[in-house]
Amino acid sequence: MTDHLGTYDVIVIGAGHAGIEAAHAAARLGAKTAVFTLTLDLIGNMPCNPSIGGTAKGHLVREVDALGGLMGLAADATFLQSRMLNRGKGPAVHSLRVQTDRKRYHIWMKHALEQTPGLHIHQAEVTALDVRDGHVCGVFTNLGGYYACRCVVIATGTTLGGRIFVGQAHYDGGPDGTHAATALTRDLAARGFALRRFKTGTPARVHRRSIDFSKLERQPGDPDELLQPFSFLTRTPMHNKVDCYIAYTNPATHKVILDNLDRSPLYGGDIQGVGPRYCPSIEDKVVRFREKERHPVFVEPCGEDPEEMYLQGLSSSLPEAVQNAMYRTIEGFERLEIMRPAYAIEYDCVDPTTLKPTLESKAVAGVYGAGQFNGTSGYEEAAAQGLLAGLNAARHALGRSELVLPRHSSYLGTLVDDLVTKGVLDPYRMMTSRSEYRLSLRQDNADERLTPIGREYGLVDDARWAAFCRDRERKAAELERLGRARIRLADLRAVCPPDAELGESGGTALELLRRPAVTYERIAAVIGRGEGVTPAMAQRIETEIRYAGYIAREERLIRDVQRHENVAIPEDFDYAPLETMTLEAREKLARIRPRTLAQAGRIPGVSPSDLAQLSIALLKARKGS
């Protein structure tokens, strides 16, 4: 017997990083929203590494924040250690990463959802969709409940068809003792969703007391005066609380692994799912890179109070006894105590080319995907997709236009375009190299790029908008002041190192900032700081002045590409008669259904010649209509 227990505009399945942002975004837009989770005790869980951000991932966190999401605020509120990665490289690849208190992050996120108006939280497993005439109308739960809705966001993480592997032991399940959502997998497959099998893994958690830290390399955070928050709203001072450490594997470690490969389900054939290319298990590393004598192991705390430590870089599916032997060959780990063994997990996900750029499924209208369900890896990729999926699901339910972010607007736009246009062969991880517009898509200017869009689409509230406008005005005023203020060379020399190359003459502060040895802080030592100019804003000003020519060139490239982005392709366009195009191109265009000529050109297998023929056909179609 099924009981009708409620009616919603949007239902979100899963309360991990994707589900949190989806549910929060949908409710913020005024849609009556419900989020379903297998357990309330794992909302915002970090089943893998206890950190937020990293190379390119930090950009995504800033973009989520700029659009009105939660991840940046939660990371700022619960961080233990903060580091800006790639400081020695150009500003395009600077990326913030923080160690996070795993339990406090969960508590913060759970409370944030509990405080969101219009959002209802349910502990239950969604087992099936109710689909009528090709559109989702509700969901069924394992408790015999039925909930009607207009749209659904699937953000199931690794629990969808989840299967855990530790050596020869394997069982259906999800991270941290949750059970697998197998019924929903069967229902989605029956409804025509193109599912596939991916795999990921996580290292062991070990007891702090069993590590000899004197034998490890200390990895401190950045000095407190250099710390920057993820959220553009965070104004409180930040302080590091913990250190991290680095250990290294050695030939003895590798010998234990190689001697026991036959006991690894990864090499024994038990695991069928495709693993992440850029985050391989230690077995994969040792087999694929036999010439390397060592691999780094990053020893990170799971929280300020718990004694659990996370061994990043040592994910494995080897038996627990082999894990013990392997870890104890590492200097500093001779007496290591495993608290939670490493494991691999297989799970089901969808072919993302069966999604629209709004993240709505082409198989069933009103169903949106986010996170690992879409074939990605990582908390940050999941949160960014969750925000977009929740936003669009709510606007769909409320009868409003949906948001499609072009590649040049954001890393989120790049991520979604890669997924729905190119597809994935293994779990997708965001990297700065995936974007053609890295200098324009820096993490420091995410608010200028995206907060106006978030405001237009209803996610950015009055307080955030007021803060954004105030910062924008302060930055503009400071640029104008720097353009007026003239500085003598002698005054500049007085605040710079004796060997600094400063040129032959003085000039305006703006002109001098183009010289390599001149920084904003040195300019400020002569003419003072502008009102309200924070260290982060000063760095952004310095970057924009110093790289102005490169940024302008990138903006010209974006304008050129935009011409093709503006050429829309009708959803029902018939590619079959275009015999001047290759058969492969026609088949892929018909399957993926690109929205624009630019998107069509990014589909693998569509050549420049094919694109030219398509452009001619579209022009003829418009003239004939």
Side-chain angles (χ1 to χ4, degrees), residues 57-74:
K57 293 170 178 283
H59 292 67
L60 287 170
V61 180
R62 284 271 175 88
E63 292 182 354
V64 167
D65 181 74
L67 285 165
L70 293 173
M71 179 172 267
L73 288 165

Side-chain angles (χ1 to χ4, degrees), residues 583-602:
L583 180 59
E584 179 188 6
R586 282 178 282 162
E587 288 177 348
K588 289 187 173 180
L589 289 164
R591 180 169 60 86
I592 294 174
R593 291 280 160 198
R595 296 175 70 255
T596 67
L597 193 61
Q599 186 188 357
R602 293 191 290 269

Side-chain angles (χ1 to χ4, degrees), residues 148-211:
C149 64
R150 291 186 174 91
C151 290
V152 167
V153 178
I154 301 177
T156 44
T158 59
T159 63
L160 191 67
R163 190 162 183 78
I164 302 286
F165 294 84
V166 182
Q168 284 70 50
H170 45 84
Y171 56 91
D172 291 345
D176 293 316
T178 54
H179 63 269
T182 54
L184 184 58
T185 279
R186 292 192 296 268
D187 182 73
L188 293 175
R191 298 193 182 282
F193 285 82
L195 299 181
R196 53 176 59 178
R197 200 85 170 143
F198 276 179
K199 166 257 175 188
T200 189
T202 192
R205 272 69 162 183
V206 301
H207 203 297
R208 184 192 303 266
R209 70 186 175 202
S210 66
I211 300 173

